Amino acid sequence: MPLKILGLNHNTAPVEIREQVVFAGDQIPGALQAVRDIHGVEEAVLLSTCNRTEFYVMADHDGRRRLQEWLHDAHNLDPSFANTLFELDDDAALRHIFRVACGLDSMVLGEPQILGQLKDAFRDAEGAGTVGKQLSRLFQHTFSVAKKVRTDTEIGTSPVSVAYAAVTLAQQFFSDFRKHTALLVGAGVTIELVAKHLKRKEIGRLFVANRNIARAHDLANQFGGFGLALSDLEGTLPEADILISSTASPTAVVTLPQMEAAIKARRRKPIFAVDIAVPRDIEAGISKLDDVYLYTIDDLNKVVLEGQGNREAAARDANRILDEEISRYLSMERAKQVAPLITALRENANSVRGEILKQAQKRLAKGADGQEVLEYATAALMKKMLHNPSVKLREAGENSDAEIIAAARALFGLEEE
């Protein structure tokens, strides 16, 4: 079956839509099994991040249509949701997955985190038993392409991460971080990068809140900060001039009443907030408060675009590599399609050879002349091997089938007279 991709990402859907179709943790194996059970779908991998939810499947056209229906029904989505989906087939699908792996389709051009997420998605699918030979070959080649692009181009230099963009945006509000306090919610890779950038900017005080208090302490200690439990968030919120959140929580961790209380305690001293999570960590209504400047991950796009201009040349080099790798992969796949035919051809030839060999050995055993047996064996072998091609060529000649005749010339290396 052919490769097909169905999904939505930061290019096709805003965060308000993307957060409705996020799959995380224990949801992933069940979702993969449900997709694999769809009639017309043979293999499936699911990639779900803050910027994209994409299904990579080996499926027929009806299988992809049923996948879209399942996605809509499983989340009780509005019919307009379909307008944010994109569908890709064959070569276009292949180019897309290569671009995703290399960071060429990311909000942050060339960012390396997506490759790790794609590898995790592949491992999840392997664990769920929804990967077969075709997707396995595809993903292994994809990882190889991503490595080649990062080795042979400068796509990964001068990194402009979402974390960096968030801190850069905060600098537009607070020129001297030494006088201010930052509260980070979460303890994953993104929050760790945010903490690192804030430390370099000499942030005055740093708090890290996380559901796992031990992880919060470990991360905070790396940067001279203070760790606290998520349950202590409300009490610390009034201290925060900068609030940056990135958790995997399915519901908001900072609510409107909590923020209203914090603003009151701060005597209307403003708070700069960035919600990097999808689904969102900071309740959307908070953006309407006069003293809170709330940005989502989509709002960081402008900052990111301003900082990645020096990667554009590297991206052009990367795309040239992708052109070569797409052609190479397609050639490999087409070669695999005829591999069974080549095997069958060899097995048939070997069977004919064995048959003639037995007859030749019988003649020798009866005392026939060796030279005579050689003449017999080679002539018989030639006759057997050329019988079917000769019959088909005569039929092609009678039917003026130029295509078969040309194919025969090419197969047997015969020049046209």
Side-chain angles (χ1 to χ4, degrees):
M1 282 192 176
L3 171 66
K4 296 183 184 296
I5 299 177
L6 175 72
L8 72 170
N9 56 37
H10 62 96
N11 294 314
T12 68
V15 65
E16 293 84 0
I17 298 293
R18 298 201 306 275
E19 67 184 0
Q20 296 180 51
V21 287
V22 170
F23 296 86
D26 295 340
Q27 296 175 315
I28 293 176
L32 284 167
Q33 289 291 349
V35 171
R36 176 61 185 80
D37 289 342
I38 294 172
H39 183 69
V41 177
E42 284 192 352
E43 303 178 40
V45 172
L46 164 60
L47 175 64
S48 187
T49 72
C50 60
N51 279 330
R52 69 186 69 242
T53 292
E54 298 177 357
F55 292 88
Y56 307 97
V57 298
M58 304 306 299
D60 58 25
H61 179 75
D62 286 341
R64 186 177 64 182
R65 176 180 56 79
R66 294 186 186 101
L67 170 58
Q68 181 174 337
E69 292 171 353
W70 170 84
L71 187 60
H72 176 274
D73 294 342
H75 292 81
N76 297 314
L77 298 168
D78 185 271
S80 62
F81 162 77
N83 297 330
T84 66
L85 289 174
F86 69 89
E87 301 177 359
L88 297 172
D89 297 311
D90 304 322
D91 294 15
L94 185 61
R95 177 174 292 277
H96 178 78
I97 191 172
F98 284 0
R99 284 177 55 80
V100 169
C102 299
L104 294 172
D105 193 64
S106 297
M107 178 184 291
V108 180
L109 183 62
E111 58 95 3
Q113 189 175 353
I114 186 63
L115 179 58
Q117 292 168 329
L118 196 61
K119 288 181 176 180
D120 289 342
F122 177 67
R123 281 191 288 267
D124 287 340
E126 281 188 314
T130 61
V131 171
K133 291 183 179 179
Q134 288 180 283
L135 281 185
S136 183
R137 287 198 305 269
L138 170 62
F139 273 78
Q140 293 305 324
H141 192 81
T142 298
F143 301 147
S144 175
V145 170
K147 181 179 180 181
K148 180 178 178 62
V149 167
R150 293 198 171 276
T151 301
D152 296 354
T153 73
E154 296 184 357
I155 194 68
T157 59
S158 304
V160 182
S161 65
V162 169
Y164 175 83
V167 174
T168 299
L169 193 58
Q171 281 189 295
Q172 297 181 18
F173 288 81
F174 308 109
S175 58
D176 188 355
F177 278 4
R178 291 173 297 181
K179 300 177 181 179
H180 296 284
T181 296
L183 170 59
L184 309 183
V185 185
V189 174
T190 299
I191 288 297
E192 184 174 350
L193 284 172
V194 170
K196 186 179 295 185
H197 289 305
L198 286 171
K199 181 66 175 178
R200 288 174 180 169
K201 300 293 183 182
E202 300 181 318
I203 190 70
R205 287 192 303 167
L206 179 67
F207 291 96
V208 178
N210 192 50
R211 200 174 305 279
N212 184 327
I213 183 65
R215 174 59 182 153
H217 281 305
D218 289 344
L219 182 56
N221 288 338
Q222 291 181 43
F223 304 101
F226 308 91
L228 57 130
L230 208 57
S231 56
D232 296 327
L233 183 64
E234 187 171 357
T236 310
L237 200 54
E239 301 286 330
D241 302 306
I242 299 170
L243 170 66
I244 301 178
S245 186
S246 179
T247 77
S249 173
T251 57
V253 296
V254 181
T255 65
L256 180 59
Q258 288 175 334
M259 188 62 82
E260 288 174 331
I263 287 295
K264 184 176 180 180
R266 289 171 62 84
R267 297 180 181 179
R268 305 188 67 82
K269 186 179 176 183
I271 293 177
F272 167 81
V274 179
D275 189 348
I276 302 175
V278 180
R280 286 170 289 181
D281 283 339
I282 303 175
E283 215 168 78
I286 290 174
S287 63
K288 298 179 181 179
L289 297 178
D290 289 339
D291 300 297
V292 179
Y293 298 88
L294 175 59
Y295 295 83
T296 68
I297 188 170
D298 288 355
D299 296 321
L300 296 179
N301 193 32
K302 182 179 179 182
V303 179
V304 169
L305 289 173
E306 290 174 351
Q308 66 186 21
N310 57 343
R311 291 190 180 191
E312 294 298 335
R316 288 192 290 272
D317 292 337
N319 277 309
R320 280 194 290 271
I321 292 175
L322 293 196
D323 289 339
E324 296 170 0
E325 290 297 330
I326 288 169
S327 177
R328 188 162 77 90
Y329 182 80
L330 290 174
S331 296
M332 290 165 52
E333 286 300 297
R334 290 175 187 130
K336 285 184 174 65
Q337 290 176 10
V338 298
L341 178 60
I342 294 173
T343 300
L345 183 63
R346 289 183 177 278
E347 288 176 349
N348 180 66
N350 195 50
S351 176
V352 171
R353 185 188 70 86
E355 181 184 335
I356 301 299
L357 178 62
K358 286 181 181 179
Q359 293 175 5
Q361 289 171 336
K362 287 180 180 179
R363 289 184 175 231
L364 287 172
K366 291 179 179 180
D369 178 70
Q371 184 63 35
E372 180 185 329
V373 171
L374 282 174
E375 290 287 342
Y376 158 77
T378 53
L381 186 62
M382 182 180 71
K383 183 178 179 181
K384 280 272 189 180
M385 296 299 294
L386 294 181
H387 174 70
N388 283 336
S390 297
V391 170
K392 295 297 181 184
L393 277 172
R394 286 193 189 97
E395 291 177 356
E398 292 170 0
N399 297 325
S400 299
D401 193 335
E403 188 174 346
I404 290 291
I405 295 171
R409 289 188 183 281
L411 283 171
F412 292 103
L414 302 174
E415 294 183 4
E416 190 170 359
E417 294 179 0

